[in-house]
Amino acid sequence: MFPALDWVSHHALTKPRAVALRNYDDSLSRTWAELEPRVGRLASGLLKEWGLRRGDRVALLSNGDLRFFELQFACMRAGLIIMPLNFRLTPHELAGLCREMNAAMLVNDAAWQRQADEVATLANIERRLSWGAPDSAFDRMAEEGDVMVFPDDIGSAHPTHILFTSGTTGKTKGAYSTHGTLIAQALNQVQFAGVAEAGAHVFVPIPLFHAGGLTLANPILYFGGQVTIAARFDPAATARVLGSRTVGITHLALVPLMYRMIADTAEFADLDLSGLRVALVAGGRLPPELLETYARKGINFTSQYGGTETGPTITALDPARVDKALAGSCGQKAKHVEIRLMDTDGKDVPEGQPGEIWVRGPAITPSYIGRPRDMDFTGDWFRTGDVARRDAEGFYYIVDRVKDMYKSGGENVSSVEVEEILIRHPSIAEVAVIGTAHEKWGEVGLAVVVLAAGGSLTLGDIEEFCDGRLARFKQPKALKIVEALPRNVTGKIAKAQLRDMFGGTRSA
């Protein structure tokens, strides 16, 4: 396993005047030399002033901001665990996660103050810290007090993050990242994403509570590059940033929907993307027409496949292999990952045949929190729940999911979680939710419903019922009412049959 080390102090010594972090919205920036004492003071303050102890979880609710990384590095130095929260969830959902994960502190920015107050009340979190207001407590702590150095006794296995994902059970799960898994992910990105190259500079408009938001950011910081962060995604602003030679963006990682939204802006027609070295796409497949739209700008995409639990990178596609991109491949395996394709009996499938993806390697999470390891692992092998085939050149193609989920706008949505809410509606006797193709969001939820006796139901009724219970991206966007749900011989709902009946999706 890779030894733990402090990235900030290393780069502050070797390249002190280089910019590490910059906010796009307010132009606030930090050189490595400026970042070092702020991280050290925050680490010291969290332990001494706030009384946190090693292993405590620090929840964060914020838009994109360089202070995310200041807090991340402070937690890494103090032996704490940062737990970024999905601001698209309701306060009740967030409070449930905080209680389940035993969050010791809640940090927020000014934009999410009201929601954070509600979460803290519901989850009974007393330690609070915020930034964004004049003379904020966060910035005061970063500018005053003792500077803590990286301890000698923090090892590579020490947890650094809890990142949330959805799994086969339908419940949101927290997956650990560690000092070691972060370094392994950085090394996995060297070959296909060039994160160690001189002048690497990634623009991050994607939320930082996503593993996807950190896919290139932390690897580039590990090698001493620069990260520019936007508070929220704006397609026109992103286009302007990418075309600016002054800003000098070299790397970008987005979901397919965001690349389409950029292509639809007025700015795109005259956009010069010659400075962009890597356009990484994950969370879904780019259609051929969009691949061609960007190819006319000289951009071939680096497709990647993976998950929160896996670093996230499992496979990556060489952008020069346009033939494989058009064929729908998600690439070849990353260097520090082993992959097996397994049948339902736990045996390797022949080449070219579909099998469940099992992976192992130093970037894989050691465990979910509060969940028996053997529910997801067989020995050292993590069972992803996704099905793929591999061709003779070692390129992988996602063909189905074992996991009962779909992706809407790049967000994982668990069908089971949505079904558990909908079944509480008095007009619903039975319900199954599947993903269906959507021009804008990639996939959306379709609720297939058997009505209760005397019941009636519209999509508007479902939306009203879900408000406050489910985040909006999880709420079904289509409704079909049926007499009965198809079932297999064991009595389980036959979702494959529902997908065939109603045009459900099986995308990656």
Side-chain angles (χ1 to χ4, degrees), residues 255-440:
V255 298
L257 171 63
M258 292 178 173
Y259 282 112
R260 177 174 293 281
M261 293 172 74
I262 293 169
D264 288 341
T265 64
E267 289 81 357
F268 188 79
D270 298 320
L271 189 60
D272 178 4
L273 294 178
S274 59
L276 191 62
R277 303 176 195 169
V278 174
L280 188 151
V281 61
R285 184 180 300 171
L286 285 168
E289 55 87 11
L290 198 57
L291 290 170
E292 293 168 5
T293 295
Y294 277 88
R296 289 193 291 269
K297 296 281 187 182
I299 298 298
N300 293 324
F301 288 93
T302 301
S303 298
Q304 293 196 356
Y305 159 74
T308 302
E309 312 92 328
T310 61
T313 303
I314 294 175
T315 68
L317 180 65
D318 184 341
R321 293 303 302 265
V322 178
D323 58 326
K324 297 296 185 179
L326 290 171
S329 174
C330 58
Q332 296 164 303
K333 79 173 192 71
K335 189 172 185 179
H336 298 285
V337 177
E338 295 178 76
I339 303 177
R340 299 172 74 181
L341 301 182
M342 311 296 284
D343 64 18
T344 54
D345 295 324
K347 297 179 180 178
D348 295 277
V349 301
E351 186 177 286
Q353 296 299 309
E356 184 184 4
I357 301 171
W358 289 18
V359 295
R360 71 178 178 184
I364 310 300
T365 184
S367 67
Y368 290 116
I369 292 88
R371 181 177 168 92
R373 198 171 186 275
D374 60 6
M375 291 182 67
D376 308 286
F377 287 81
T378 298
D380 294 335
W381 294 90
F382 175 72
R383 306 186 301 272
T384 68
D386 294 317
V387 177
R389 62 179 177 83
R390 181 180 56 244
D391 68 18
E393 294 182 85
F395 287 87
Y396 289 83
Y397 303 79
I398 308 299
V399 298
D400 207 341
R401 288 198 191 102
V402 175
K403 294 180 179 181
D404 190 11
M405 62 170 60
Y406 54 93
K407 285 184 182 290
S408 185
E411 296 271 14
N412 280 341
V413 181
S414 163
S415 295
V416 176
E417 180 184 9
V418 180
E419 290 162 356
E420 287 179 351
I421 296 297
L422 294 182
I423 197 63
R424 303 174 194 173
H425 193 288
S427 291
I428 295 178
E430 290 185 295
V431 61
V433 175
I434 60 174
T436 60
H438 190 273
E439 182 178 355
K440 181 177 181 181

Side-chain angles (χ1 to χ4, degrees), residues 472-494:
R472 287 192 178 274
F473 72 89
K474 299 179 183 179
Q475 297 180 18
K477 301 297 188 292
L479 170 67
K480 295 287 185 181
I481 295 175
V482 297
E483 292 294 323
L485 295 173
R487 297 182 183 275
N488 60 23
V489 293
T490 65
K492 294 181 179 179
I493 295 172

Side-chain angles (χ1 to χ4, degrees), residues 56-57 97-104:
D56 280 346
R57 288 94 184 259
L97 291 177
C98 287
R99 287 193 298 268
E100 183 180 353
M101 298 295 143
N102 195 27

